[in-house]
Amino acid sequence: MEILLSVLLFALVSTATPGPNNIMVMTSGLNFGVWRTLPHYLGICIGFPAMVLAISMGLGKVFEAVPVMHQVIKVLGISYLLYLAWRIATTATEIKKNDTSRPLSFWQAAAFQWVNPKAWVMAVGALATFTTVSGEVIYQALWIAAAFMVVAVPSVGAWLLGGAGLRRLLQKPTYRRWFNWTMGVLLVLSVIPMVSVELSALT
C-alpha cells in the first residue's frame, strides 16, 4: 500500500505540473473547446500509460542496445515540439468558414508521447524507481500505468477545463493571439533543458 501511494504521488506531481502535454491541451481547450479536444485529452490519458507498458516489456532494452535510436527519437521529438510551438502560436483566433485548423487527434496525441521528452523522463523514472528485479516487472508496470491513468484523467482534465474557461474570458481575438503566443513560448522553454542535456552529451 505504501508503494502504491508513492507511485500515485509521483504520478500526480509529474502529471499535474506544466509540461508539453498540459500546455498543448490547455491551448487546444481555449481554441477549440472541450468537446473537440476530447480525442487529444484521451490520447494523453491512454497513450502515456501504454508507453509505460511498452517500455517495461522490453522496448527500453532495445534503446539500451542501440543508443543511437534513442538519440534520433530525442532529436525528432525536440524538432516536433518546436513545430507544435509554432503551430500553437499561430493558431487562428477567429472562426472562418474555410478554416482548416483542428486539434490533435487521439492517435496523434498518443503517438506524441513517444517524442515528448517529459514523458520519457516520467516513464523511465517511474519504472526505475518503483519496480524491483526480484518482482514481476510487467505486473508492477501494470500498477504504475494504472496509477498514471487514474491521475491523468483529473490532472490533464483540469488543464483542458482551464483552457476552456479562458475561452469564455478571452473573447477578443487579440487576447487569444497573445495567449497562443505565450503558450508557444512556454512550450519552447519546456524543450530548452532537453536541448541543453543533448548538447552537453555531445561535448
Side-chain angles (χ1 to χ4, degrees):
M1 180 60 71
E2 186 178 340
I3 292 293
L4 181 58
L5 290 176
S6 297
V7 173
L8 285 170
L9 183 58
F10 178 88
L12 177 62
V13 172
S14 56
T15 303
T17 50
N21 277 327
N22 290 335
I23 291 172
M24 288 165 59
V25 82
M26 183 180 190
T27 305
S28 184
L30 180 135
N31 289 294
F32 302 108
V34 172
W35 183 252
R36 290 185 66 192
T37 305
L38 276 180
H40 182 171
Y41 163 73
L42 293 173
I44 296 171
C45 294
I46 297 172
F48 179 73
M51 176 185 174
V52 171
L53 287 177
I55 294 173
S56 71
M57 288 190 291
L59 192 56
K61 300 288 185 183
V62 175
F63 291 130
E64 287 179 15
V66 190
V68 69
M69 285 181 61
H70 198 210
Q71 294 301 318
V72 168
I73 287 179
K74 283 184 179 180
V75 171
L76 289 175
I78 290 169
S79 302
Y80 187 54
L81 276 171
L82 293 175
Y83 162 73
L84 288 174
W86 173 252
R87 248 186 74 177
I88 286 172
T90 57
T91 297
T93 54
E94 296 178 274
I95 299 174
K96 301 174 184 177
K97 289 184 179 179
N98 61 346
D99 187 15
T100 58
S101 60
R102 61 188 64 185
L104 290 184
S105 69
F106 172 88
W107 293 111
Q108 286 174 322
F112 171 71
Q113 305 314 306
W114 290 93
V115 294
N116 179 358
K118 184 181 178 182
W120 275 100
V121 171
M122 289 164 57
V124 174
L127 290 170
T129 305
F130 300 110
T131 58
T132 59
V133 178
S134 58
E136 187 64 44
V137 175
I138 298 298
Y139 178 74
Q140 295 169 351
L142 278 170
W143 279 105
I144 294 170
F148 271 107
M149 186 176 290
V150 166
V151 169
V153 170
S155 298
V156 180
W159 284 84
L160 170 56
L161 293 175
L166 287 173
R167 179 184 177 90
R168 289 188 288 271
L169 293 175
L170 306 180
Q171 293 291 340
K172 291 186 178 180
T174 303
Y175 295 159
R176 290 195 186 188
R177 192 174 300 114
W178 276 107
F179 176 85
N180 289 341
W181 274 101
T182 300
M183 292 298 104
V185 169
L186 286 176
L187 191 55
V188 171
L189 291 176
S190 74
V191 179
I192 288 177
M194 291 302 301
V195 174
S196 300
V197 170
E198 294 304 311
L199 290 176
S200 62
L202 293 173
T203 56

